[in-house]
Amino acid sequence: MFNRTKVGKYHLQVCGTTPCMIRGAREVIDTIKRHCNVEMDHMSDDGLFTVSEVECLGACVNAPMMQVNNEWVYEDLTPENTINILE
């Protein structure tokens, strides 16, 4: 997947496939959007965050999950621990 527009310093890619959705990926995405004041696939006003929904990231057993900058992986996400990660 290629980014056709500039992304923030932290590109938050949240898995949106079935196992992650069943275990709360939508709530994680909504938490990110509220906390970072950002819309899907857009950069936050401060240039720090972009959130995208992506296909399977390969950690279905520990869903939902997020990959940051194609480097760091966070699993077993909840709205609460997602905020801790963002801060």
Side-chain angles (χ1 to χ4, degrees), residues 16-28:
T17 51
T18 304
C20 285
M21 290 311 263
I22 290 172
R23 300 212 41 213
R26 179 63 48 213
E27 291 81 8
V28 169

Side-chain angles (χ1 to χ4, degrees), residues 17-67:
T17 51
T18 304
C20 285
M21 290 311 263
I22 290 172
R23 300 212 41 213
R26 179 63 48 213
E27 291 81 8
V28 169
I29 290 170
D30 290 343
T31 298
I32 293 168
K33 288 168 53 178
R34 274 192 312 274
H35 189 77
C36 298
N37 195 29
V38 64
E39 292 300 318
M40 288 296 285
D41 299 313
H42 288 88
M43 187 172 18
S44 60
D45 290 340
D46 58 9
L48 286 179
F49 299 103
T50 299
V51 60
S52 302
E53 183 178 324
V54 296
E55 293 301 312
C56 184
L57 292 170
C60 300
V61 71
N62 295 324
M65 69 156 313
M66 169 177 67
Q67 178 175 262

